[in-house]
Amino acid sequence: MTIATTSMGRILVVDDQAANLRVVGTLLQRQGYEVIPASSGDEALARYAESEPDLILLDVMMPGMDGFEVMEALRAQAPLKVPVVFVTAAHDRDLLLRAFDAGVVDYVTKPFLPEELLARVNAHVGLKLTRDRLERVAREREELVNLVAHDLKNPLTSVLFASDLLRSGGCKPERVPRYLQMIHESADDALGYIRHYLESSSAGRRAASGDERADLGQTLQWLVHRYEMQLDARGIRIEVAPPPGTAEVAIDPRVLRQVSENLVTNAMKYAPGSELLLAARPGAPGFWQLIVADRGPGIAPARQRELFKPFVRLHEEALDDGLSSGLGLSLARQIVANFGGQLWYEDRRQGGARFVVELPEAP
């Protein structure tokens, strides 16, 4: 039975002697540790598989599976990231060298002094928890870099599109103001995204605060305004089906634009020369849906289950623009879920792809 406390860490204590388990468990519990006892090697492996601890105190000499065999079994499953401290009555130098070769980080000899045991446990659990925190910070920073890079890609692509046309002199004079406006708005969006991350105390984890609301009709108008010229350049015809009346959903407007423009830019990339439907409609009770649907090749059924996995690209490299990281749909689904919604894919009748963003109606 697990002895739970306000935990400073979780320790798997393995010993075939019930008295030793009781003494060590009580000592560690009083220090604020959560203790997971195991009276055999097999039980230790089962407990470890249920939930990975922060430290293993492992008796060496046990009937059946001894400490070395437990270590071998643990290391055979996956690289062992949990520190293991051997508890042994032996003072044999060769045995201790063999223990370190097996991956043990320290040892305590029986009979042990409580102060010595606690000092070693505290040191190794502290190192383990510090390493875990550093790895978590590194993952969060990597996630933040991916989010910022992805969110800046679309506005900067619009800036390059408009500026290239202006530099080449290939646009009609009456369209010059519109391209200049596109450059200005896209740069403003990029700065807005950067400001959003700098001001957010939980950057990269965009969760609802409860008072966000975005108008679906306005979002559709923004998408048309922002991308109509780029869509036209790719021969894509736009059809807009606005919602019947006012439709507001519980999400930050800037975030909804980020999600929906990712779907539009995918259609631009993979369905040129086709039709693009931008629509809003009622969803499940209390929800609204934003639809982005094209008449491109769609996604093969065998690959649809991979559609929302991070770093997965589902089309040939020849169709890629060289900027895709394979993160777009994965991040979009994660963001929508943070606001209590869903994002999914559907095949269209008569061919094409349909992406549905369903979000709760704003109160």
Side-chain angles (χ1 to χ4, degrees):
M1 179 178 67
T2 299
I3 304 170
T5 66
T6 302
S7 179
M8 296 170 54
R10 305 176 67 253
I11 301 178
L12 174 59
V13 181
V14 187
D15 199 305
D16 64 303
Q17 299 295 319
N20 290 341
L21 282 178
R22 184 171 58 254
V23 170
V24 174
T26 300
L27 178 65
L28 296 174
Q29 180 191 8
R30 288 174 178 171
Q31 294 297 311
Y33 289 107
E34 178 183 341
V35 177
I36 308 167
S39 58
S40 68
D42 289 330
E43 186 181 357
L45 295 176
R47 294 289 191 180
Y48 182 89
E50 290 171 3
S51 181
E52 186 177 291
D54 297 306
L55 177 75
I56 300 175
L57 277 177
L58 181 58
D59 188 22
V60 178
M61 305 305 295
M62 295 185 294
M65 181 180 289
D66 66 16
F68 289 103
E69 291 171 319
V70 171
M71 285 292 297
E72 184 178 354
L74 288 173
R75 297 179 69 181
Q77 297 175 11
L80 187 61
K81 297 182 179 180
V82 176
V84 179
V85 175
F86 261 5
V87 181
T88 176
H91 294 267
D92 184 271
R93 179 175 177 273
D94 292 336
L95 183 143
L96 294 177
L97 290 175
R98 180 186 168 199
F100 287 121
D101 287 340
V104 171
V105 299
D106 207 344
Y107 69 94
V108 178
T109 55
K110 298 178 182 179
F112 58 80
L113 296 173
E115 295 82 5
E116 178 188 5
L117 177 66
L118 289 175
R120 294 179 187 274
V121 166
N122 291 338
H124 291 296
V125 170
L127 289 172
K128 165 67 163 52
L129 296 179
T130 299
R131 186 188 69 200
D132 289 347
R133 283 193 294 270
L134 291 174
E135 290 178 352
R136 185 169 59 252
V137 168
R139 287 194 302 270
E140 290 174 351
R141 287 186 176 180
E142 182 180 3
E143 180 185 3
L144 176 58
V145 169
N146 287 332
L147 285 166
V148 172
H150 179 266
D151 289 346
L152 290 179
K153 183 183 72 174
N154 285 329
L156 292 179
T157 299
S158 295
V159 169
L160 285 174
F161 170 80
S163 60
D164 283 345
L165 282 175
L166 291 174
R167 290 179 60 196
S168 68
C171 66
K172 298 177 181 179
E174 62 270 20
R175 288 196 171 188
V176 170
R178 177 66 188 91
Y179 285 124
L180 291 173
Q181 183 184 14
M182 181 187 297
I183 292 172
H184 176 80
E185 291 175 350
S186 298
D188 186 63
D189 279 346
L191 288 174
Y193 296 154
I194 294 172
R195 199 176 299 115
H196 167 77
Y197 288 111
L198 292 177
E199 293 174 354
S200 174
S201 61
S202 57
R205 301 189 181 276
R206 287 169 276 191
S209 65
D211 56 358
E212 301 95 341
R213 55 197 315 121
D215 186 288
L216 290 183
Q218 293 178 4
T219 302
L220 295 181
Q221 293 175 10
W222 181 89
L223 288 170
V224 173
H225 180 73
R226 171 57 55 86
Y227 288 101
E228 60 180 342
M229 292 189 175
Q230 296 178 63
L231 292 167
D232 181 65
R234 289 166 174 79
I236 299 176
R237 300 172 299 283
I238 309 174
E239 178 186 350
V240 181
T246 301
E248 293 186 329
V249 289
I251 189 172
D252 181 88
R254 185 188 299 275
V255 174
L256 181 58
R257 292 200 301 267
Q258 288 174 271
V259 170
S260 55
E261 71 175 330
N262 180 73
L263 302 178
V264 170
T265 55
N266 279 346
M268 288 168 47
K269 191 189 310 179
Y270 300 121
S274 67
E275 298 176 355
L276 179 67
L277 171 65
L278 304 176
R281 67 187 184 191
F287 287 79
W288 282 93
Q289 294 180 351
L290 186 147
I291 312 294
V292 178
D294 62 55
R295 289 295 182 188
I299 305 297
R303 307 211 65 186
Q304 289 180 15
R305 62 180 178 273
E306 302 176 0
L307 189 55
F308 294 97
K309 291 182 179 180
F311 303 108
V312 172
R313 302 180 187 180
L314 300 183
H315 292 277
E316 298 295 332
E317 292 184 3
L319 294 173
D320 201 348
D321 59 2
L323 297 173
S324 176
S325 63
L327 275 170
L329 290 175
S330 172
L331 292 176
R333 171 175 274 187
Q334 174 187 324
I335 292 165
V336 171
N338 288 344
F339 285 90
Q342 299 182 73
L343 167 61
W344 69 86
Y345 168 84
E346 299 173 348
D347 287 321
R348 294 188 75 185
R349 293 180 182 178
Q350 301 176 357
R354 178 190 292 114
F355 287 92
V356 182
V357 180
E358 186 172 70
L359 287 159
E361 185 175 10

